[in-house]
């Protein structure tokens, strides 16, 4: 459904993995517009900016999210991960686990989390999530 912001997020993930960063960012901008700037969509955008090498812009989105009152630690962690702030990312993912955040569903298999696969804290977190 083209009026569903998530439609654009999933398409952006594919484009980002194919190093089509400008296409991914454009799709995420549409998702942000459709959602009215929902934290989930802003976090995806910030992560995509960081993956595209636009670190200053990603830091701006990170600061914007941190200033919101209803932001999951998962969203903050995503951008930190993409920026290479791996300890801060793991702190956020662990806080999200403790809060039972459903965003963690993707970390075991999502390609965007590949940079953490060798991290012992990440491996322990994924192991804790398995039934």
């Amino acid at each position: 459904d083209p009026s569903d912001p998530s439609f654009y997020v999933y398409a952006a993930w594919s484009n980002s993995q194919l190093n089509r960063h400008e296409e991914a960012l454009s799709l995420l901008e549409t998702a942000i517009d459709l959602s009215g700037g929902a934290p989930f969509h802003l976090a995806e955008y910030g992560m995509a900016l960081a993956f595209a090498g636009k670190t200053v812009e990603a830091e701006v989105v990170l600061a914007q999210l941190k200033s919101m009152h209803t932001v999951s630690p998962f969203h903050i962690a995503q951008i930190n991960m993409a920026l290479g702030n791996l300890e801060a990312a793991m702190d956020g993912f662990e806080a999200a686990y403790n809060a039972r955040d459903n965003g963690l569903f993707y970390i075991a298999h999502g390609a965007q989390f590949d940079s953490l696969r060798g991290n012992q804290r990440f491996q322990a977190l994924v192991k804790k999530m398995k039934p």
Side-chain angles (χ1 to χ4, degrees), residues 26-86:
S26 177
L27 288 162
L28 290 166
E29 289 166 0
T30 301
I32 291 167
D33 289 344
L34 289 171
S35 73
F40 169 75
H41 301 105
L42 287 170
E44 293 294 331
Y45 185 63
M47 184 172 60
L49 284 166
F51 284 146
K54 298 182 178 198
T55 56
V56 173
E57 295 93 331
E59 292 279 358
V60 169
V61 174
L62 182 60
Q64 182 181 0
L65 282 171
K66 286 180 176 179
S67 73
M68 296 177 164
H69 296 290
T70 58
V71 175
S72 162
F74 177 78
H75 296 134
I76 303 297
Q78 285 179 276
I79 299 174
N80 274 316
M81 175 200 64
L83 286 168
N85 304 330
L86 301 186

Side-chain angles (χ1 to χ4, degrees), residues 83-115:
L83 286 168
N85 304 330
L86 301 186
E87 289 304 309
M90 285 310 308
D91 290 344
F93 290 135
E94 288 169 349
Y97 174 83
N98 291 332
R100 301 286 191 230
D101 189 302
N102 64 359
L104 289 172
F105 171 79
Y106 298 103
I107 71 168
H109 303 290
Q112 62 269 45
F113 302 97
D114 284 351
S115 66

